[in-house]
Amino acid sequence: MTYRVCLVCMGNICRSPMAEVVLRQALDDRGLGDRVVVESAGTGGWHEGDPMDERALRILTERGYDGSAHRARQFTRDWFDRYDLVLAMDRDNLANLRRMAPAGVEVRLFRSFDPAAPPDAEVPDPYYGGREGFEEVLALVESAAEGVAQHVADEID
């Protein structure tokens, strides 16, 4: 059985694709890459088909990650059936996902898996800022990805 995870932000060009790449690596490092599919999407469709924001891609590349294959997609209500775990990058997208989720489907914040993060911690949107915002996002994503990877490992074992 394949476990499926979707990470969701607003436009699917900065935060969620960065988290997708980092989480995929964390799962590969645990030997789970062949048992888990990690994907990402946005609640909005403005960037559908576009590659990752070049600033996000640059930061990932500098840290040894490969985000070059990413193309933005929009999350839709019927996608909930595809995934075992849907995680939002911030409270606004969490609220959007919860509004469209079928009854009984749980959606959580990505950083809720980071034991060092405060309750309701978000991954801030770096889009309108500079390099330091993308560096901060990568650090937050790397920290939370370890907790998500452990959760997924516990779920599939």
Side-chain angles (χ1 to χ4, degrees):
M1 180 176 122
T2 301
Y3 192 89
R4 300 178 64 85
V5 180
C6 190
L7 310 169
V8 184
C9 67
M10 186 73 67
N12 193 219
I13 59 169
C14 298
R15 296 171 290 174
S16 61
M18 290 177 79
E20 174 187 350
V21 170
V22 170
L23 179 57
R24 190 176 292 128
Q25 183 63 54
L27 290 162
D28 284 346
D29 291 348
R30 282 180 162 73
L32 299 173
D34 61 338
R35 297 175 61 194
V36 183
V37 172
V38 181
E39 298 177 327
S40 65
T43 55
W46 314 279
H47 299 288
E48 275 190 281
D50 291 347
M52 188 183 306
D53 183 287
E54 64 185 42
R55 298 164 296 174
L57 182 59
R58 186 177 312 114
I59 295 295
L60 285 172
T61 302
E62 289 172 5
R63 293 290 297 271
Y65 297 104
D66 182 6
S68 61
H70 176 76
R71 293 298 176 265
R73 306 176 314 152
Q74 184 176 8
F75 193 96
T76 60
R77 180 179 168 76
D78 62 315
W79 284 24
F80 283 104
D81 290 339
R82 297 183 193 179
Y83 298 103
D84 299 292
L85 185 61
V86 176
L87 301 175
M89 295 292 118
D90 62 43
R91 289 185 294 274
D92 287 341
N93 286 295
L94 178 66
N96 288 338
L97 288 166
R98 285 180 172 166
R99 275 192 293 276
M100 73 170 91
V105 172
E106 180 184 19
V107 182
R108 292 179 58 180
L109 285 169
F110 182 74
R111 288 193 65 205
S112 69
F113 291 92
D114 182 349
D120 293 328
E122 301 177 295
V123 177
D125 190 349
Y127 186 77
Y128 294 104
R131 178 182 175 88
E132 59 282 344
F134 288 88
E135 290 173 341
E136 176 188 14
V137 166
L138 182 56
L140 295 173
V141 161
E142 286 178 327
S143 184
E146 291 303 318
V148 175
Q150 184 59 55
H151 172 80
V152 170
D154 293 344
E155 289 286 306
I156 63 177
D157 284 339

